[in-house]
Amino acid sequence: MALVEIRGLVKSFHNRKSGDVQILRSIDLALDASQTICVVGESGCGKTTLGKILAGLQTYNGGSFLYKGQEVSKLDKQQWKAFRTDVQMIHQNPYESLNPTQMVFDMIAAPLKRHKKATNFTSLYEQVIKLLEMVGLTPVEDFIDKYPANLSGGQRQRVSIARVLSMDPKFIVVDEATSMIDTSMRISLLQTLKEIQEKMGVAYLYITHDLALGRYFAWGQRLAVMYLGQIVEIGPAERVLSDPHHPYTKAILAAGKVEEVDGYELKGVEIPSFRHIPSGCSLSPRCPQAIAGLCENVTPTLRTVSDSWQVSCHLYQEQS
Ligand SMILES: Nc1ncnc2c1ncn2[C@@H]1O[C@H](COP(=O)(O)OP(=O)(O)O)[C@@H](O)[C@H]1O
Ligand code: SF4
Ligand SMILES: [Mg+2]
């Protein structure tokens, strides 16, 4: 049984002018303990919406979302409480997620106390120290009595991670966690997240619009490419990146100059609105390889093109 499994997940938002607008359009994903799926896609494609649903911070309208085999929308009060402890989210902005009036120690001690993870002060102190070491805020004595204002963006994000880890989570949604911190600090923070995965066995849904970071974090794991609320390609990261199949994957790799995919460009720069999703394949008006008569009429589904590699495009046939 997968730790997290979604099938045909749908999310719509209600808009007074346009009515219900579907943002997530039938998403399938499955994730085991200690695994990472990295979701890449341009801004506005629905990554955060997907992350929030998986972290239990937003509802879904259709499809199935199983956590440890149980439908999340049907959990009882007790199960929901356990789910909300097991599943955590690290947000984009470390400046908003920390209380400016609390010292680092108190910020990490509070959830430990709330969840009754320490019975006395010595145990509480030891756990805070361990968590600070785990997220690389060492020497610990340099950080324990600091306020957020005395910390850099990267250090604040490390405090946010320590707080999340205090819950002993099994699955963490990491949403653009390095986009607001200094470029030079990004890789070391991602390295810390990888070390945490090795030590604690957590699973990650790592969300980014930055393909270079996605490539770094997803290496050896899986990469999913999202366009207009759908996954268009998913597979082993290094294979998807070195031999992208879907025209959209090729285009974003070429545009980001992440891999050598020479001269591959989509037609027009405008991403269609969710209110006017093109018929058939939603990339068809922009796709340089579109097959006239087919792509604008028939919606492709995710097909397995080789072992654990799926592409949603009429150019590829299901492997038998
Ligand atoms: N609470 C909301 N109400 C209405 N529309 C929303 C809401 N949250 C997100 N959206 C819309 O959903 C789309 C995807 O947003 P988001 O998930 O934040 O994308 P990403 O994280 O990939 O940039 C956008 O068009 C956004 O305007
Ligand atoms: S289905 Fe057609 S339009 Fe869509 S990505 Fe493939 S070739 Fe392009
Ligand atoms: Mg986002």
Side-chain angles (χ1 to χ4, degrees), residues 11-15 21-24 39-52 58 92 175-176 207-209 226 228-229 272-275:
K11 174 70 184 175
S12 306
F13 287 114
H14 189 75
N15 180 309
V21 180
Q22 213 176 78
I23 300 294
L24 297 183
V39 178
V40 296
E42 288 164 290
S43 179
C45 72
K47 303 181 298 299
T48 295
T49 303
L50 174 65
K52 282 187 173 167
Q58 208 150 64
Q92 184 169 8
D175 187 7
E176 309 271 9
I207 295 171
T208 183
H209 69 280
M226 218 170 145
L228 277 178
S273 143
F274 279 102
R275 279 177 285 119

Side-chain angles (χ1 to χ4, degrees), residues 89-131:
M89 185 158 181
I90 297 166
H91 297 273
Q92 184 169 8
N93 191 344
Y95 298 86
E96 274 174 8
S97 58
L98 301 181
N99 179 344
T101 66
Q102 264 189 331
M103 278 194 299
V104 167
F105 177 84
D106 295 321
M107 279 188 276
I108 299 167
L112 288 170
K113 284 195 256 180
R114 203 166 49 242
H115 286 85
K116 303 192 173 43
K117 300 222 180 234
T119 46
N120 55 49
F121 185 78
T122 313
S123 150
L124 183 67
Y125 191 80
E126 278 169 4
Q127 288 184 59
V128 172
I129 301 288
K130 206 171 135 206
L131 286 164

Side-chain angles (χ1 to χ4, degrees), residues 250-268:
K250 291 184 198 178
I252 58 170
L253 286 174
K257 298 191 173 42
V258 175
E259 297 282 337
E260 288 297 319
V261 190
D262 280 341
Y264 202 93
E265 259 184 74
L266 297 177
K267 297 184 223 160

Side-chain angles (χ1 to χ4, degrees), residues 232 245-248 264 280-291 294-296 298-300 303 311-316:
V232 296
H245 279 34
H246 197 283
Y248 181 70
Y264 202 93
C281 171
S282 35
L283 191 68
S284 56
R286 303 176 71 198
C287 179
Q289 290 179 270
I291 306 160
L294 176 65
C295 294
E296 70 274 30
V298 182
T299 308
R303 296 164 195 162
V311 183
S312 168
C313 171
H314 292 307
L315 296 171
Y316 304 94

